[in-house]
Amino acid sequence: MKRVYNFSAGPSVLPESVLRRAADEMMDYQGSGQSVMEMSHRSKVYEGIIGSAESLLREIMGIPSNYKVLFLQGGASSQFAMVPMNLMNKNHKADFVITGQWATKAQKEAARYGEAHIVASSKDKTFTYIPDLDPSTFSKDADYFHICMNNTIYGTRYTKLPETGDVPLVADISSCILSEPIDVSKFGLLYAGAQKNMAPAGLTVVIVREDLIGNAMDITPTMFNYQIHADNGSMYNTPPCYTIYMCMLVLEWLKNEIGGLEKMKAINEKKAGILYDFLDQSSLFHGTVVKKDRSLMNVPFVTGSDELDAKFVKESAAAGFVNLKGHRTVGGMRASIYNAMPVEGVEKLVAFMSDFEKNNG
Ligand SMILES: *Cc1c(COP(=O)(O)O)cnc(C)c1O
């Protein structure tokens, strides 16, 4: 068996020990005589799995008790509608910062349900920075304020949160959840598709302050109502059972093998540091993002030549470094170095880039 170094932006690499454990438990989960794929979501044994997944997430992220944790489906993309349907319920207005494609989609979708006011944007420079935010430009009567915390495609991230006062801060944390500690109490709602840093595709995690739910718009489909899912322990309908199990295994890995989010952050800073340090001194490759806003998770870079970029993507894949092609809308390369990418993977990538530079410089 040969495993590659997988730099995919999502679905993405999972910890090897997690995959091994899932393989070991495939035919018979802990003496139940069944695979987790096969069992009823209403069974005692499955209740244990979803219960552990939630309590581990609460413990690792330090989620306060007045927040609900919901295990949903439909991807982060469904949250672009679900958030406004549930939260745009007083003044039918929300503020948005446009830092890339996902933030844009969130704003456009919200505009179908209310006033989706754009506070700032970095579109003028192809989203290569996080705009400075002036709280005096924020809508005082907004029902919420939305940001995309880590911009997966462009490789930027917020290092300080907007000061929104009493207006609940809502963040798409799909590509940075569990990458470092985060103060959940500063947010009204957090959401993430699981396929970047938590599990395989199929699961969306929502962490929402209790007082914000229960006032969804009348038009809200039952399946889009947070209250319904909160009241039913994420089991109003069949949840994505196997993906939640995989999420539980990833959380156990984070707690027991990594040692929590402070440790994870140190490892992620080390990995990103290796790559950015190389890019900063390279005569061929360079990063595309303003230094202070660089993502720890997604690192876009270019050679400046489309031909050399294509050659690099091809040769790196042949050498076992896969999915390094940049997003189809931006070109170049992007290395996604999520939690499960080992330090060694980044070191070897940088060695490969260095050789490529010598041969093509
Ligand atoms: C991947 C991603 C999405 C889209 O997630 P889906 O689960 O495919 O809907 C949204 N926001 C961010 C920040 C992402 O990285």
Side-chain angles (χ1 to χ4, degrees), residues 24 117 141 153 170 181 213 237 245-246 276 282 300-301 304 339:
D24 285 348
H117 175 235
D141 57 346
I153 296 173
V170 172
I213 60 177
N237 72 325
Y245 158 75
M246 288 297 291
Y276 287 125
S282 171
F301 56 94
N339 287 355

Side-chain angles (χ1 to χ4, degrees), residues 315-337:
E315 291 184 8
S316 57
F321 306 97
V322 306
N323 292 315
L324 281 166
K325 197 170 188 308
H327 190 269
R328 60 188 190 281
T329 58
V330 289
M333 281 76 70
R334 170 179 50 170
S336 294
I337 48 175

